[in-house]
Amino acid sequence: MNWMRTEMERPGQREQFQDALLRGDRPAVEEMIRQELADYPYWRDELLGELTEQYLEGAVPFSQLTVLAEAAAALAEHLPPVAVCGSLEGNPGDTGRNFIQMLFRAWGVPTLDLGADVPADHFLDAVSGQGIRFVIAAAFSADDAGAAMLLHQKAMERGIRDQFDLLICGAKLTEETGKKLQLACMDHRAAAVARWVVQTWKNR
């Protein structure tokens, strides 16, 4: 989309837009963004930031964040991926990975989905081949720490570990393991991981 600012905006436009997001009214959101106003992504980010903070504090339910994320995804653009996401090798689950990818779409972060049970080399090939800056590995339990460590070690062997930020979402690993993995964000919650990536990416 080619977001453009108009000289005059209708009164209450921001409130109408954010209200449609909160209701999960994607058709209404899609109708509004056909105007391609530059403010829409900012209004989306403002509301997503507020709701993410409230969700992480336990003030709003998971369902409200999901409703907002699904509607906000209407603003996503087709851009080269800056993040890659996949479930670590040995983890066939999709739930955690699907949730964080939904959040990335909501925030407008272009992401490459590698799927489930992903070998370490597949993550690293995306880094070296496509210039990926953020590697998000979905973990089911602390047992996935071995697969995460293998990813880190192979990146060191390839000499590309300093080319990307590694984040784990889903399972909470020990602080010691997190330090060994050189995790960019120690919070394992998908919403916190997504917020960290967004803030870092948009400030670069």
Side-chain angles (χ1 to χ4, degrees):
M1 293 180 183
N2 183 23
W3 301 106
M4 301 178 63
R5 188 180 300 276
T6 59
E7 293 183 4
M8 296 182 63
E9 296 178 2
R10 295 194 309 272
Q13 194 166 33
R14 170 185 169 189
E15 290 75 14
Q16 292 174 15
F17 177 69
Q18 292 188 335
D19 182 63
L21 289 174
L22 285 170
R23 296 196 317 270
D25 190 346
R26 183 156 176 165
V29 172
E30 292 172 344
E31 179 63 29
M32 291 179 192
I33 65 176
R34 288 192 179 96
Q35 300 173 58
E36 298 187 347
L37 298 184
D39 287 321
Y40 284 138
Y42 298 104
W43 294 342
R44 171 203 62 193
D45 289 359
E46 178 184 59
L47 185 58
L48 265 171
E50 292 174 359
L51 207 67
T52 295
E53 186 67 29
Q54 293 171 15
Y55 167 71
L56 292 172
E57 292 176 354
V60 299
F62 168 81
S63 57
Q64 178 63 78
L65 184 60
T66 300
V67 165
L68 172 59
E70 290 288 359
L75 281 79
E77 300 181 75
H78 297 291
L79 300 172
V82 299
V84 62
C85 186
S87 300
L88 288 163
E89 187 168 20
N91 178 2
D94 290 320
T95 303
R97 192 184 85 257
N98 288 341
F99 180 42
I100 195 165
Q101 287 197 132
M102 176 187 66
L103 294 176
F104 280 148
R105 286 193 298 272
W107 282 105
V109 180
T111 307
L112 174 64
D113 177 20
L114 294 182
D117 197 14
V118 181
D121 286 327
H122 290 191
F123 288 99
L124 302 180
D125 288 345
V127 172
S128 57
Q130 300 189 48
I132 297 292
R133 297 301 306 169
F134 306 99
V135 172
I136 297 86
F140 179 71
S141 70
D143 293 338
D144 290 326
M149 190 60 68
L150 179 61
L151 192 161
H152 170 71
Q153 292 172 344
K154 286 198 170 188
M156 295 289 287
E157 292 169 2
R158 288 198 190 190
I160 62 171
R161 183 61 186 87
D162 62 345
Q163 295 180 22
F164 66 92
D165 292 309
L166 177 62
L167 302 97
I168 301 291
C169 73
K172 183 177 182 179
L173 306 181
T174 65
E175 183 176 351
E176 180 182 2
T177 298
K179 290 180 179 179
K180 288 181 179 178
L181 291 171
Q182 298 176 20
L183 294 183
C185 174
M186 291 300 295
D187 198 323
H188 66 288
R189 295 172 295 176
V193 169
R195 181 178 61 180
W196 188 95
V197 170
V198 169
Q199 291 174 342
T200 305
W201 174 50
K202 295 193 175 184
N203 288 331
R204 287 195 177 192

